[in-house]
């Protein structure tokens, strides 16, 4: 089955689940939780049932349409399509988890919102990180910086190591979500994400600077044989 239809199936599953349980949901229900794990936002039953599937549909459509109009020439041709499809499916699966947690919490299910969402974020990073090395240059997903978009070698090396950094970060977030007290999960995610971004961008910049110095040295040799 095409990954495109797997994503659509996840959206359909979210929609059907929301419709089936809608009559058992309260008219006003929690839809947002703060960093301390306490409810800090409420919404109508209609919003709770349709918001996440609606976001999922937008994500699904964007991952189909944007590659067709991407102005950045990819280095890997048709191989980008299945990779972006897996990116899309990972995001949609995470949204399905969020959708289930929101509705399940309102239905009285014994679920820890903070731990479950934290675990979902961690596994999402693991999935995205494992695919990152397969990404060719594009303006949709990946480490999209001026120096990576300008050079195929810099892009490839940045994503090869950047994917590993994201994967390890995802494992740390998932483990932290299981062992830390709920009040500390959000803070731990923030710390890991900041460290991940610094590591990915810093390594990528270092690769670009090394490539620039190497190119300059070769140019000097050609000018002064």
């Amino acid at each position: 089955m095409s990954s495109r239809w797997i994503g659509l199936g996840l959206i359909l599953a979210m929609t059907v689940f929301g419709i089936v349980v809608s009559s058992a949901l309260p008219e006003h229900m929690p839809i947002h939780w703060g960093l301390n794990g306490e409810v800090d936002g409420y919404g109508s039953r209609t919003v709770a049932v349709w918001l996440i599937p609606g976001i999922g549909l937008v994500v699904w459509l964007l991952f189909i349409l944007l590659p067709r109009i991407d102005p950045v020439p990819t280095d890997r041709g048709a191989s980008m399509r299945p990779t972006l499809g897996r990116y899309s499916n990972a995001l949609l699966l995470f949204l399905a988890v969020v959708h289930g947690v929101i509705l399940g919490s309102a239905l009285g299910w014994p679920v820890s919102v903070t731990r479950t969402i934290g675990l979902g974020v961690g596994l999402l990073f693991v999935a995205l990180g494992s695919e990152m090395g397969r990404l060719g240059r594009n303006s949709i997903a990946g480490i999209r910086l001026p120096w990576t978009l300008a050079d195929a070698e810099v892009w490839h090396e940045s994503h090869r190591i950047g994917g590993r950094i994201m994967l390890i970060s995802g494992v740390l977030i998932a483990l932290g979500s299981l062992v830390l007290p709920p009040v500390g999960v959000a803070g731990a995610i923030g710390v890991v994400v900041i460290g991940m971004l610094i590591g990915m961008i810093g390594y990528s910049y270092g690769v670009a600077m090394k490539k620039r110095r190497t190119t300059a040295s070769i140019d000097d040799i050609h000018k002064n044989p």
Side-chain angles (χ1 to χ4, degrees):
M1 180 184 292
S2 168
S3 60
R4 178 183 302 178
W5 301 114
I6 292 174
L8 189 60
L10 288 168
I11 296 169
L12 181 61
M14 285 189 277
T15 303
V16 170
F17 175 65
I19 293 173
V20 169
V21 303
S22 61
S23 61
L25 296 172
E27 184 59 36
H28 294 280
M29 49 182 285
I31 60 171
H32 192 272
W33 287 257
L35 295 178
N36 59 359
E38 300 295 328
V39 177
D40 63 1
Y42 290 82
S44 69
R45 176 171 56 199
T46 301
V47 169
V49 168
W50 293 103
L51 177 61
I52 302 299
I55 294 174
L57 182 60
V58 171
V59 169
W60 184 74
L61 289 173
L62 286 176
F63 270 87
I64 291 175
L65 298 175
L66 290 182
R68 300 180 180 180
I69 60 174
D70 189 353
V72 177
T74 183
D75 305 305
R76 301 194 177 186
S79 66
M80 279 288 294
R81 185 171 298 175
T83 302
L84 289 176
R86 288 188 285 270
Y87 257 61
S88 174
N89 289 342
L91 290 168
L92 289 170
L93 184 57
F94 173 70
L95 289 175
V97 170
V98 174
H99 189 56
V101 166
I102 291 175
L103 300 189
S105 176
L107 293 169
W109 293 359
V111 57
S112 171
V113 174
T114 304
R115 289 191 188 280
T116 305
I117 298 298
L119 182 61
V121 170
L123 295 179
L124 174 64
F125 281 11
V126 169
L128 297 182
S130 65
E131 289 292 324
M132 185 171 285
R134 299 184 178 93
L135 282 174
R137 279 188 295 174
N138 71 95
S139 60
I140 303 167
I143 307 171
R144 303 179 307 282
L145 298 167
W147 52 87
T148 58
L149 292 173
D151 190 293
E153 291 182 15
V154 174
W155 173 282
H156 174 70
E157 180 63 16
S158 298
H159 286 74
R160 185 179 70 84
I161 299 301
R164 296 178 186 178
I165 294 173
M166 178 172 278
L167 191 153
I168 293 171
S169 299
V171 172
L172 292 176
I173 290 173
L175 292 175
S177 300
L178 294 175
V179 302
L180 292 175
V183 70
V185 171
I189 291 175
V191 170
V192 173
V193 168
I194 291 173
M196 178 186 75
L197 292 175
I198 292 174
M200 293 168 68
I201 295 173
Y203 181 81
S204 176
Y205 184 76
V207 170
M209 290 301 97
K210 181 179 179 181
K211 176 74 179 294
R212 180 177 295 180
R213 288 192 298 268
T214 301
T215 302
S217 297
I218 294 175
D219 289 343
D220 289 340
I221 292 173
H222 288 163
K223 291 178 181 177
N224 303 288

